[in-house]
Amino acid sequence: MGERNRKGGISERGVPLLRSVDDAELESGTRGKNGRPKEPWKAEVVKSIVYAGLDAIVTSFSLISSISAGHLSSVDVLVLGFANLVADGISMGFGDYVSSSTEKDVAAKERTVTEWDVLNHHRRQKQELLRHYQELGMNDTDANTVVNIFAKYRDIMIDEKMATEKGLLPPDQADKPWKNGLITFAAFIVFGCAPLLAFIVLIPFTNNDTHKFIGACVFSAVALALLGIAKAKIAGQNYALSAGITLFNGLIAGAAAYGIGWTLRNVAGLEE
């Protein structure tokens, strides 16, 4: 019977059994299936790149806008811009590392608590899990079957309790918080350079700070649009809508920064 079950067949209760397959066979079975959605990138990597990239472009462009509104020189823009970019990049990267580490530690602590509950209040934990499946629409017989099977495997039941009651996945030991921090730092520096590049690229062509500021606006818009398109490509969203949202975000932030700089100089009288 055991051999027959491993290859597929009927259980003692008359329930069809799935045939055991290895990873290579599973992969070959799904490869080439027309219409299957493409799997996205790893969520944490995408989150770090998009969040850091968007924040970097908007922060750099907002700084340039406020400085330009105050009629400071291109040298001031580059010095303050790159100093602020590196400092913010380090802060963002370290912040991502700390938050990822904290999230992982919290999940590990929650798993320890859940494990204690399962070991010391096993019956009550089974009843809570049974009630959860019944609330989801599972009939009493199936819900009891599922819970009793999970109860045989302590680690599976602990992970299931964490997911159903606390909305937490078990901590993945393969996840490295320092990698998230490094990705955030790198994305912040790369995307944050876009608005500042205009002041460097246009040096051989013009000394007019207004022209350089316009160039920074163009560079920022292109970078924001590309980031929005990349986000849409990864998440399977509408390209135009995603690019429009990121551009709108940059427009609002830049306009606010420019307006504050202009107001402080011309209305409040904060001049050199």
Side-chain angles (χ1 to χ4, degrees), residues 189-222:
I189 296 298
V190 171
F191 284 99
C193 284
L196 296 170
L197 284 178
F199 286 83
I200 299 176
V201 172
L202 294 178
I203 287 177
F205 305 101
T206 180
N207 292 323
N208 191 307
D209 291 336
T210 301
H211 293 165
K212 293 180 180 178
F213 175 68
I214 294 174
C217 294
V218 174
F219 275 54
S220 299
V222 171

Side-chain angles (χ1 to χ4, degrees), residues 119-225:
L119 292 176
N120 294 275
H121 303 287
H122 191 69
R123 182 176 179 81
R124 189 174 72 184
Q125 298 303 314
K126 288 176 60 177
Q127 291 173 342
E128 291 176 355
L129 200 57
L130 175 66
R131 190 182 309 114
H132 171 75
Y133 289 137
Q134 289 172 336
E135 291 174 352
L136 291 178
M138 192 178 293
N139 63 47
D140 294 346
T141 302
D142 290 343
N144 273 281
T145 301
V146 171
V147 172
N148 286 328
I149 291 174
F150 281 165
K152 295 180 180 179
Y153 307 95
R154 186 183 67 182
D155 289 339
I156 295 178
M157 186 169 180
I158 293 171
D159 293 342
E160 186 67 13
K161 289 284 294 181
M162 286 185 62
T164 57
E165 293 186 0
K166 302 177 181 180
L168 293 174
L169 295 176
D172 188 354
Q173 299 302 322
D175 289 342
K176 305 296 182 183
W178 65 266
K179 288 185 178 180
N180 293 337
L182 185 61
I183 291 172
T184 298
F185 172 75
F188 195 93
I189 296 298
V190 171
F191 284 99
C193 284
L196 296 170
L197 284 178
F199 286 83
I200 299 176
V201 172
L202 294 178
I203 287 177
F205 305 101
T206 180
N207 292 323
N208 191 307
D209 291 336
T210 301
H211 293 165
K212 293 180 180 178
F213 175 68
I214 294 174
C217 294
V218 174
F219 275 54
S220 299
V222 171
L224 285 169

Side-chain angles (χ1 to χ4, degrees), residues 27-38:
E27 184 178 354
S28 64
T30 57
R31 188 185 301 141
K33 292 288 186 182
N34 294 329
R36 184 177 187 271
K38 184 179 180 181

Side-chain angles (χ1 to χ4, degrees), residues 195-271:
L196 296 170
L197 284 178
F199 286 83
I200 299 176
V201 172
L202 294 178
I203 287 177
F205 305 101
T206 180
N207 292 323
N208 191 307
D209 291 336
T210 301
H211 293 165
K212 293 180 180 178
F213 175 68
I214 294 174
C217 294
V218 174
F219 275 54
S220 299
V222 171
L224 285 169
L226 291 176
L227 182 62
I229 292 173
K231 179 175 73 70
K233 175 69 174 178
I234 293 170
Q237 300 172 341
N238 181 275
Y239 289 0
L241 179 61
S242 181
I245 291 175
T246 55
L247 283 170
F248 181 74
N249 185 14
L251 175 64
I252 295 299
Y258 189 92
I260 291 172
W262 185 90
T263 301
L264 291 176
R265 177 178 176 84
N266 297 284
V267 177
L270 298 181
E271 302 183 13

Side-chain angles (χ1 to χ4, degrees), residues 75-95:
V75 175
D76 295 322
V77 171
L78 291 175
V79 171
L80 294 176
F82 279 109
N84 181 76
L85 181 65
V86 174
D88 279 356
I90 294 174
S91 177
M92 286 281 294
F94 186 73

